[in-house]
Amino acid sequence: TWHLKKIPQIVSERTFSLDSPKFEAKTKLELNSVCGIECQRKLPLPSLSDLKDLLSYETVFENGTRTLTEVNVLGLVLDPAGNTTTRRSSRKKRQIYGTDSRFSIYDKRFMTNFPFNTAVKISTGCSGILISPKHVLTAAHCLHNGKDYVKGSKRLRVGLMKTKSRGDGRKRKGAKRSRREVSVAPEDPKVATELRQQSKGGGRKQRRSRRKQGTSDGMPSFQWTRVKSTHIPKGWFKGVSGDIALDYDYAVLELKRPHKRKYMELGISPTIKMMPGSMIHFSGFDNDRAGQLVYRFCSISDESNDLFYQYCDAEPGSTGSGVYLRLKEPNKKKWKRKIIAIYSGHQWVDVNGEQQDYNVAVRITPLKYAQICFWIHGNDENCTRG
């Protein structure tokens, strides 16, 4: 079952205008010089006054204006345990580890239905996930490099999936399915394992064939929607947190018009020991599989108070995807899914004097849940329990 927690309150104290940003930063989907596993162990826990500063946030509006909102944190009990992580041996410097365990979703029955239709494409090259009728959750570094907003964020758009209707939608006679085309419920690990076993060998020719087809049946196209405003926590900005700390690599986009799709609920991320189902899942638009929705699942290996370190296969473009858990509710047959982290991407960090890499996700802690919920609702009445 989900482990509910009492949520602290985040309330706005005052909002004031800032100069319009320059929008001159370059989009960078792979970060360097971030505070990683070893660095996290040495960090002191932030005090209440630190948290009030880190959780204050900037809002950029469609017309280029910008505000800063200072917040207060109420009802917070600080964890005395410290910012711990689990030690683990290093691994090879690759984003795909061993067998590529990702699945491209082609079947329209899955692509256009929950939970896969909650995945969206961000015009700066990232992914995101629908979290309300008007809000999208993504990674902060898709929009801001710590000093300035990226060029593409001035006219930010969000792409919601729609499938192309080519003819009557029937497959051409004799056409082969891609090595990882999923036509059954791919979230079931047993089914996924069977698919992997069936797909060994002979996959490259089919992948090349599909790339040549380009717009074959099942390829999604996007309905692009403008973004009304963007919220980014102050903890992401350099000068507030020193070097870039991934703890605050998240942002919420408010769409100009509401969509009519089912969205994913937020949840508090449990510790690895308390994680229901043990597997995390996320879908995004990896750059090496252009025009495809790519799904993957894996277990989490390490954690700190704010980050999950995991080995899900992923490529740039999937950054900003919503990481979710699923479990069956008591006495019900349906699966329940909740977002418990934001995929921050493939990161390089300095560990004991040498570069190591890992895939990292930003955990939705009670504080972050309270903040994101406040951004969605404008008050804390709907955010008392996670």
Side-chain angles (χ1 to χ4, degrees):
T1 58
W2 291 102
H3 300 276
L4 301 180
K5 289 191 176 183
K6 179 83 171 135
I7 303 300
Q9 286 179 282
I10 290 191
V11 294
S12 61
E13 296 219 304
R14 65 178 186 137
T15 300
F16 49 92
S17 298
L18 301 174
D19 293 337
S20 294
K22 295 178 180 178
F23 297 104
E24 292 179 351
K26 292 181 179 178
T27 306
K28 196 172 184 180
L29 300 184
E30 188 168 313
L31 301 178
N32 296 303
S33 303
V34 298
C35 184
I37 298 172
E38 292 292 325
C39 166
Q40 287 265 335
R41 292 194 187 102
K42 299 172 185 175
L43 290 177
L45 279 176
S47 65
L48 183 59
S49 59
D50 290 335
L51 288 171
K52 286 160 70 171
D53 191 31
L54 294 165
L55 291 165
S56 295
Y57 59 92
E58 278 193 10
T59 304
V60 175
F61 297 93
E62 186 185 20
N63 61 5
T65 59
R66 178 173 54 151
T67 62
L68 173 65
T69 301
E70 294 179 345
V71 303
N72 195 6
V73 181
L74 308 175
L76 175 67
V77 178
L78 293 172
D79 183 2
N83 203 7
T84 57
T85 64
T86 306
R87 290 187 180 274
R88 187 180 177 88
S89 60
S90 61
R91 56 188 175 77
K92 293 180 181 179
K93 300 176 181 180
R94 293 186 60 200
Q95 289 163 268
I96 304 299
Y97 304 98
T99 303
D100 189 344
S101 60
R102 297 173 298 163
F103 296 90
S104 292
I105 308 295
Y106 293 114
D107 196 315
K108 294 179 184 179
R109 291 172 298 168
F110 297 107
M111 195 189 308
T112 57
N113 285 296
F114 187 85
F116 300 111
N117 67 339
T118 61
V120 298
K121 194 172 179 67
I122 311 296
S123 58
T124 55
C126 290
S127 299
I129 192 163
L130 300 173
I131 56 171
S132 91
K134 288 188 71 174
H135 294 88
V136 170
L137 182 65
T138 189
H141 78 262
C142 295
L143 315 166
H144 194 286
N145 72 347
K147 292 183 177 179
D148 189 20
Y149 290 84
V150 302
K151 292 177 181 178
S153 65
K154 189 171 186 178
R155 293 178 179 83
L156 199 59
R157 300 286 187 274
V158 168
L160 283 73
M161 270 192 301
K162 61 177 184 177
T163 51
K164 292 179 180 178
S165 54
R166 301 185 73 236
D168 59 2
R170 287 179 297 187
K171 216 171 176 62
R172 287 184 295 108
K173 189 176 181 181
K176 292 182 179 180
R177 283 179 177 266
S178 166
R179 182 165 74 100
R180 294 205 174 276
E181 179 169 349
V182 177
S183 59
V184 289
E187 282 187 311
D188 188 333
K190 290 182 181 177
V191 173
T193 302
E194 289 174 12
L195 281 167
R196 257 199 296 280
Q197 290 171 349
Q198 293 168 10
S199 66
K200 285 184 179 177
R204 291 181 182 174
K205 289 182 180 178
Q206 291 180 31
R207 283 203 303 275
R208 280 198 293 268
S209 171
R210 183 163 293 281
R211 278 197 291 267
K212 287 177 183 177
Q213 290 172 21
T215 57
S216 60
D217 291 342
M219 286 287 194
S221 59
F222 298 96
Q223 175 187 338
W224 292 95
T225 302
R226 283 189 288 181
V227 172
K228 181 180 177 181
S229 61
T230 300
H231 302 299
I232 298 180
K234 202 174 164 189
W236 174 248
F237 304 137
K238 285 184 179 177
V240 176
S241 56
D243 288 336
I244 289 179
L246 296 180
D247 298 359
Y248 296 92
D249 188 12
Y250 60 93
V252 168
L253 317 178
E254 182 182 357
L255 303 178
K256 196 161 185 182
R257 292 180 182 82
H259 59 83
K260 296 180 181 179
R261 303 173 185 225
K262 192 173 179 181
Y263 54 87
M264 193 88 75
E265 290 182 36
L266 292 174
I268 304 296
S269 68
T271 60
I272 296 175
K273 290 180 181 179
M274 302 295 287
M275 187 167 290
S278 73
M279 290 287 181
I280 58 167
H281 308 252
F282 64 95
S283 300
F285 300 95
D286 300 50
N287 289 350
D288 67 329
R289 297 192 182 185
Q292 299 177 17
L293 175 64
V294 183
Y295 160 76
R296 73 229 79 199
F297 66 90
C298 68
S299 58
I300 292 173
S301 298
D302 302 329
E303 64 183 347
S304 69
N305 286 357
D306 287 274
L307 301 175
F308 281 137
Y309 305 104
Q310 41 78 16
Y311 307 125
C312 281
D313 288 329
E315 290 283 348
S318 58
T319 301
S321 300
V323 176
Y324 64 91
L325 294 177
R326 66 176 196 136
L327 74 162
K328 282 184 177 175
E329 295 185 275
N331 305 319
K332 292 185 180 179
K333 292 183 179 180
K334 290 185 177 179
W335 291 100
K336 183 76 172 177
R337 297 169 179 85
K338 287 187 181 181
I339 306 165
I340 50 92
I342 305 98
Y343 179 53
S344 183
H346 173 257
Q347 311 297 352
W348 294 90
V349 295
D350 191 65
V351 180
N352 296 326
E354 64 177 57
Q355 285 277 293
Q356 290 189 12
D357 69 333
Y358 54 84
N359 287 340
V360 68
V362 179
R363 296 174 65 174
I364 296 181
T365 61
L367 269 176
K368 291 170 192 168
Y369 180 97
Q371 184 177 56
I372 294 167
C373 197
F374 178 76
W375 287 340
I376 294 171
H377 298 288
N379 59 62
D380 61 347
E381 292 176 7
N382 299 309
C383 311
T384 54
R385 295 191 74 81

